[in-house]
Amino acid sequence: MNQYSEILLDHFRNPRNVGDLPDANGVGEVGNEACGDIMKLYIKVNDEGIIEDARFETFGCASAIASSSIATEMIIGKPVEEAIHLSNKAIADALGGMPKHKLHCSVLAVDALARAVANYRGETVEDAPDPVICHCMGIKKSAILDVIEHGIDDLDEIAARTEAMTGACGGERCRPVIEKMVKDFFGDEK
Amino acid sequence: MKRVYLDHNATTPIHPEVKAAMIAAMEVFGNASSHHSFGREAHELIENARKTVADALGAQPEEIIFTSCGSESNNLVIKGVTCGNSVCKIGCERSEVIISAIEHPSVLNTAKCLQGEGKIVHLCPVNENGVVKLDVLESLISDKTALVSIMYANNETGAIQPIEEIANMISGRNIIFHTDAVQAFGKIPINVKKLNLDFLSLSGHKIYGPKGVGVLYKKKLRKVCPLIHGGHHEFNLRAGTENTVHIAGLGKAVELCIADMDSEWQRLGELRNWFEAEVVHRIPDSIVNGADADRMAHTSNISFRYIEGESILYDLDFDGIAVSTGSACSSGSLEPSHVLLAMGMDHGRAHSSIRFSLGRSTTKEDLVCTLGALERTVTRLRNMSPLWKDRIKKA
């Protein structure tokens, strides 16, 4: 059985909205060559705040390309304020599901969108109120803080409750950040 | 759609004569340990196969242990010589094991497991062509060295390792020397006596035999503790009623491989060299990895810069062309191939690598078809890649 759904393979093989957008007013780029994926998303937002058009350029695996492709379809015609709430889960679901170790591709698309919107607004993504902490599983800061604020300081327990640190990299990338969040909340005594 | 299979290092199709030998062996249901005629028939099939394998290696039949696969053979030797109950005195008393940085996971992870039991495991580095650095290896060897395990040829790049030089280096020091020859056996001549090897692993399904059967060659005087304890099968070293059908198939596969080894080496080497020259000529920014090493004739590892290997694999798969990749994205980890990284390659180049492994059925027509598909795939994916766009701008 193919690890990818028919929908995902179709978006890989016949990607929608490939290329750049000369009159884009928001551009977001995430990832790097060493990690094996880079996604660049262009959006053109009109005076009414509607995303009129979107394009992408992606270096990455089949699911990274498919995630980019479907993300552009899901945001075109939407008001920016609505599009910005697009979740990686919605992307994965729209692609007919993704293998767990590929979920970070859908997160990448959401990150690229956040950066494109921030760029359109003249902000940087660091201003984003709720950044993604676990990039493999797409777990946001608020979800992790919610668990910590319930008195949980054990990283395995945080992983079990949020799914953070359970993705492709095994927590290699976000564990130090979450450790710091725990320390910041509980102080040094824990 | 005509399909083209270029993943022979992963596995090979069963040769029709092997299949026939296996079907015939299915009629022989006796337990090879039984003394009646039914048992003797099974015993004879197994011993014939053992003799064929022994002859192919220049070994004695009693030095051939049938296992379930190459991974089991590797586990049996690495765990079996170092196990704590003094079966193998050298392996038990000496504290260090040396393997190369480019071993198959069945050697790499088995050796890592020994670290938990107090052994020190050294990873010998390789040069930019993926060949073990002999000077470093020499510096790692000491009177604490129990086992040196270096693969004969690498599965990803085809780089042939200097096994003879290594054998000479450790000769007379009573160090156990093992080579994982899963990718080399049946394709190049290997004589265990000439090389003075203590152990060698091989596998059936890489040489047009069945999956589920392998061999560990064990030099007569060397000792090894079994992984699977039980009856007296396989000289008390691998318990369990023998897999008569698969062993008979392996015997036939070995016989066939040895028969046309030289002509296949010549034929596949010419095809591979032609293919690589065409790729590099027709596709810009394609680089043959490990090109300057002495390589297996049928293996080619090429990076297509600015695009990612898994996407190349899937795109070629739509055209019916089967290849493999050293990219991380196919394995579920974030790190690309440990072999390519050990060669000092940057992550980007490793992520963009594709392995083409040719075999008995490969024709020039297959490769012509692959070249056309490859050009289309690389162009299509590069047209989506922001890295390629930057590359074009700079040019």
Side-chain angles (χ1 to χ4, degrees), chain A residues 6 11 19 23-24 31 59 61 72 75 110 116 118 133 147 152 164 177 186-187:
Chain A
E6 287 298 321
H11 273 272
D23 54 350
F59 157 82
C61 60
T72 58
I75 60 172
V110 169
I133 300 293
V147 173
I152 311 294
V177 180
F186 291 105

Side-chain angles (χ1 to χ4, degrees), chain B residues 213-336:
Chain B
V213 64
V215 164
L216 180 67
Y217 155 78
K218 180 189 80 69
K219 193 199 246 171
K220 213 173 283 175
L221 294 174
R222 288 300 187 197
K223 299 260 188 276
V224 65
C225 182
L227 288 179
I228 300 176
H229 295 266
H232 58 272
H233 316 85
E234 299 301 305
F235 318 105
N236 294 313
L237 297 175
R238 207 282 184 181
T241 300
E242 294 86 347
N243 186 346
T244 318
V245 173
H246 284 62
I247 292 171
L250 173 65
K252 180 50 91 177
V254 170
E255 184 191 313
L256 292 166
C257 270
I258 300 297
D260 66 2
M261 187 159 64
D262 295 344
S263 58
E264 271 300 273
W265 179 270
Q266 181 77 20
R267 188 182 76 85
L268 293 176
E270 282 167 12
L271 278 180
R272 192 267 318 264
N273 293 345
W274 174 82
F275 177 73
E276 285 185 346
E278 284 293 307
V279 167
V280 171
H281 176 67
R282 284 160 65 168
I283 301 176
D285 294 293
S286 52
I287 317 162
V288 178
N289 296 318
D292 294 330
D294 191 10
R295 280 184 297 157
M296 295 300 289
H298 65 287
T299 306
S300 182
N301 191 305
I302 306 178
S303 285
F304 299 94
R305 296 308 310 261
Y306 315 115
I307 48 178
E308 196 276 330
E310 193 244 34
S311 61
I312 303 174
L313 183 155
Y314 271 95
D315 211 49
L316 290 176
D317 187 41
F318 273 101
D319 288 336
I321 295 162
V323 297
S324 82
T325 173
S327 131
C329 298
S330 62
S331 63
S333 77
L334 290 177
E335 283 290 292

Side-chain angles (χ1 to χ4, degrees), chain B residues 28-48:
Chain B
V28 181
F29 72 90
N31 186 325
S33 299
S34 302
H35 290 281
H36 44 62
S37 63
F38 296 88
R40 287 198 302 274
E41 283 166 16
H43 180 76
E44 196 183 326
L45 276 182
I46 291 166
E47 293 316 307
N48 285 345

Side-chain angles (χ1 to χ4, degrees), chain A residues 15-136:
Chain A
R16 285 54 144 179
N17 307 310
V18 178
D20 61 3
L21 197 57
D23 54 350
N25 49 14
V27 184
E29 183 174 330
V30 285
N32 62 68
E33 191 181 7
C35 285
D37 31 37
I38 300 174
M39 207 176 278
K40 198 166 180 180
L41 186 70
Y42 303 83
I43 53 171
K44 187 188 169 195
V45 185
N46 69 15
D47 294 340
E48 282 83 50
I50 308 283
I51 299 177
E52 252 182 25
D53 207 352
R55 293 275 190 283
F56 79 90
E57 292 166 328
T58 291
F59 157 82
C61 60
S63 63
I65 290 167
S67 296
S68 318
S69 166
I70 208 159
T72 58
E73 280 198 331
M74 292 170 88
I75 60 172
I76 291 175
K78 294 259 168 67
V80 171
E81 298 311 319
E82 189 188 329
I84 195 68
H85 296 296
L86 180 68
S87 71
N88 78 292
K89 189 174 177 305
I91 291 174
D93 288 348
L95 286 172
M98 290 168 98
K100 189 175 177 185
H101 68 274
K102 290 292 182 181
L103 280 175
H104 75 272
C105 296
S106 62
V107 178
L108 212 61
V110 169
D111 282 354
L113 176 63
R115 279 171 197 267
V117 170
N119 178 253
Y120 158 73
R121 287 172 174 163
E123 300 164 348
T124 64
V125 79
E126 280 68 35
D127 301 332
D130 192 10
V132 170
I133 300 293
C134 167
H135 290 267
C136 292

Side-chain angles (χ1 to χ4, degrees), chain B residues 180-236:
Chain B
D180 170 5
V182 162
Q183 293 291 345
F185 176 77
K187 294 162 189 145
I188 48 176
I190 300 175
N191 185 301
V192 292
K193 298 296 173 212
K194 275 190 195 147
L195 290 170
N196 200 19
L197 292 169
D198 293 310
F199 293 93
L200 174 146
S201 306
L202 64 93
S203 166
H205 75 105
K206 307 288 191 194
I207 54 166
Y208 309 89
K211 292 159 186 66
V213 64
V215 164
L216 180 67
Y217 155 78
K218 180 189 80 69
K219 193 199 246 171
K220 213 173 283 175
L221 294 174
R222 288 300 187 197
K223 299 260 188 276
V224 65
C225 182
L227 288 179
I228 300 176
H229 295 266
H232 58 272
H233 316 85
E234 299 301 305
F235 318 105
N236 294 313

